[in-house]
Amino acid sequence: MSEAAAARPRVTHHMVLAIAVPIVISNLSTPLLGLADTAVMGRMGDPKYIGAVALGALIFTMVYWTFGFLRMGTTGLTAQAEGAGDGEEIRAALGRALIIAGGIGFALILLQWPIALAAFALLDGGDEVEELARLYFDIRIWSAPAALANYAIAGWFIGLGRAKTALVLQVFLNLVNLFFNIWLALGLGWGVAGIAAGTLIAEVSAAMLGLALAAHALKLYPGIWTRPRLLDAARIRRTIAINRDIMIRTIVLLLSFAWFTAKSAEAGTVILAVNSILLQFVTACAFFLDGFALAAETLTGKAAGARDLRGFDRAARLSTLWAAGISALLTLSMFAIGGAAIDFLSLDAEVRETARLYLVWAALLPVLSVWCYQLDGIFIGATRSAEMRNAALASSLLFLALWWFFLPYGNHGLWAALTGFNLMRALSLGFYYPRMRRGIA
């Protein structure tokens, strides 16, 4: 056992919850902001405003999620540096992530015309809606460097185990966004432009606050900023390799869910509405489970940095124990109140009746998918991104095979393929687990 491992405190249930609970609260605050934006646009008196903001926001969600590695990769690298007691690398992990975030952000600004052209070619919302959505896009794109920097800063704080600080930044962003959205869109009458400008102001403000809090936090860690460490070729190559693999994995997941949505649309309006509702349930459950996956990222990452195999095993076990318990509660809750939730989200009798036929799939997914969520977190903590990439590619191929095999079973077959996709993600990562664990030692 290394000296860093011997000095590390034993992982406890409290440590898991101290990370997971703030992340869950942060996750739940984000869709509330979306509801507020919808309410603000709803007061404009024409549904085209709601559609424009929804379409514009969807484009940024798709683009930014592609670069989610800025959060995940930074968490793993920072946690390992903290576990090893390397203050200079803690600084450098943040610096490299911010350099990458800034480079990508400014590239998105320079490439905004082809991005918009491709996005609006894929997402057809009608002429009036598209014109307003383009206005939203043209304003919000200027916040890209700040928005991606927020990913890096959040990942850095989570990697340090400071989930409460990440929560403060997310709540701050949401509150600033809400204030300026209401003031600019309704108070000044800017409409869709006000929503976009409010979001831009919020993302820039959150990035500035995040940098200030990071500067304060760094006072607790010994070390100084050094150009040789920040620009160390081997560490930069490792950072790029990790981020590249996570990016490939993220794109594969996005395409798989896009395929699910596309096949839902091909099955007709009712099935599309049903699957959209049920996926909302799955997403809501993921908000809860994501907190424990992030706890696994941080705690296993710190143990990996300290070469503490016993601590690594304990962190993986305790975080997964909590995640499994919560997933079981989520599954039971969906069986108990899923029907009422469907009725709340849709007034259409056919949609309500049809959704109940497929509710079992959405209800079972939390308890069946928790294992791939947790393993993702553990592998991110260990910075074993190549295995995550390979698992995602293998799982997507199985997903397509299962979709084709279950075609005769209609929408049940589509949900079975999605379930198999998540199970395969867990099984394939489980295959790599012993080798990854040996690498920790």
Side-chain angles (χ1 to χ4, degrees), residues 310-333:
R310 189 172 299 175
F312 181 90
D313 288 341
R314 182 169 174 81
R317 184 170 63 253
L318 291 187
S319 60
T320 302
L321 179 66
W322 275 99
I326 296 298
S327 72
L329 289 176
L330 291 169
T331 288
L332 291 174
S333 298

Side-chain angles (χ1 to χ4, degrees), residues 144-168:
L148 295 180
N150 287 330
Y151 279 24
I153 293 168
W156 187 75
F157 276 115
I158 293 170
L160 293 176
R162 295 169 171 260
K164 289 182 180 178
T165 305
L167 170 62
V168 167

Side-chain angles (χ1 to χ4, degrees), residues 1-345:
M1 182 183 293
S2 69
E3 292 183 10
R8 287 194 54 75
R10 188 167 180 260
V11 177
T12 64
H13 291 284
H14 179 268
M15 293 167 69
V16 172
L17 294 176
I19 297 171
V21 172
I23 296 301
V24 171
I25 296 172
S26 175
N27 286 344
L28 293 176
S29 71
T30 301
L32 293 178
L33 180 64
L35 291 175
D37 284 350
T38 301
V40 170
M41 288 294 92
R43 298 183 67 85
M44 299 294 291
D46 192 316
K48 69 182 180 183
Y49 296 107
I50 297 176
V53 171
L55 187 61
L58 176 61
I59 293 171
F60 285 99
T61 297
M62 293 169 63
V63 171
Y64 290 161
W65 197 16
T66 302
F67 302 109
F69 60 77
L70 287 166
R71 204 282 304 156
M72 291 180 277
T74 305
T75 295
L77 291 168
T78 303
Q80 289 190 15
E82 200 276 343
D86 189 344
E88 289 193 359
E89 184 56 26
I90 288 174
R91 283 170 166 71
L94 175 62
R96 293 188 205 105
L98 289 174
I99 290 171
I100 295 172
I104 295 173
F106 285 112
L108 290 176
I109 291 175
L110 293 175
L111 297 172
Q112 60 181 285
W113 181 79
I115 292 172
L117 188 67
F120 288 109
L122 293 172
L123 302 171
D124 183 14
D127 292 341
E128 287 187 324
V129 169
E130 183 173 320
E131 182 180 355
L132 290 170
R134 281 183 177 273
L135 174 63
Y136 177 97
F137 177 91
D138 290 343
I139 295 172
R140 188 178 169 186
I141 189 64
W142 291 94
S143 71
L148 295 180
N150 287 330
Y151 279 24
I153 293 168
W156 187 75
F157 276 115
I158 293 170
L160 293 176
R162 295 169 171 260
K164 289 182 180 178
T165 305
L167 170 62
V168 167
L169 288 172
Q170 185 63 50
V171 171
F172 173 79
L173 186 151
N174 289 345
L175 290 177
V176 173
N177 198 353
L178 180 62
F179 171 78
F180 279 101
N181 284 358
I182 294 174
W183 180 42
L184 297 176
L186 292 181
L188 298 184
W190 289 11
V192 170
I195 296 290
T199 304
L200 185 153
I201 293 170
E203 289 174 333
V204 172
S205 300
M208 294 174 64
L209 176 62
L211 291 173
L213 292 176
H216 179 73
L218 281 172
K219 295 178 182 179
L220 301 176
Y221 298 94
I224 59 174
W225 292 98
T226 62
R227 181 178 295 181
R229 175 63 74 95
L230 185 63
L231 301 179
D232 179 84
R235 295 177 188 271
I236 288 176
R237 283 196 299 271
R238 184 186 181 214
T239 300
I240 291 174
I242 291 170
N243 290 340
R244 177 201 63 212
D245 292 336
I246 294 176
M247 181 178 180
I248 293 171
R249 169 252 185 201
T250 302
I251 292 173
V252 168
L253 297 185
L254 278 171
L255 292 175
S256 298
F257 280 97
W259 184 272
F260 181 90
T261 302
K263 296 307 167 185
S264 299
E266 289 179 9
T269 304
V270 171
I271 292 297
L272 177 60
V274 165
N275 287 355
S276 297
I277 290 172
L278 296 180
L279 280 178
Q280 290 297 318
F281 297 167
V282 174
T283 301
C285 291
F287 285 150
F288 287 91
L289 299 178
D290 190 46
F292 297 96
L294 283 170
E297 288 182 32
T298 301
L299 297 174
T300 59
K302 290 182 178 183
R307 295 299 180 190
D308 180 6
L309 182 58
R310 189 172 299 175
F312 181 90
D313 288 341
R314 182 169 174 81
R317 184 170 63 253
L318 291 187
S319 60
T320 302
L321 179 66
W322 275 99
I326 296 298
S327 72
L329 289 176
L330 291 169
T331 288
L332 291 174
S333 298
M334 214 173 317
F335 276 121
I337 64 172
I342 290 169
D343 292 345
F344 176 78
L345 292 173

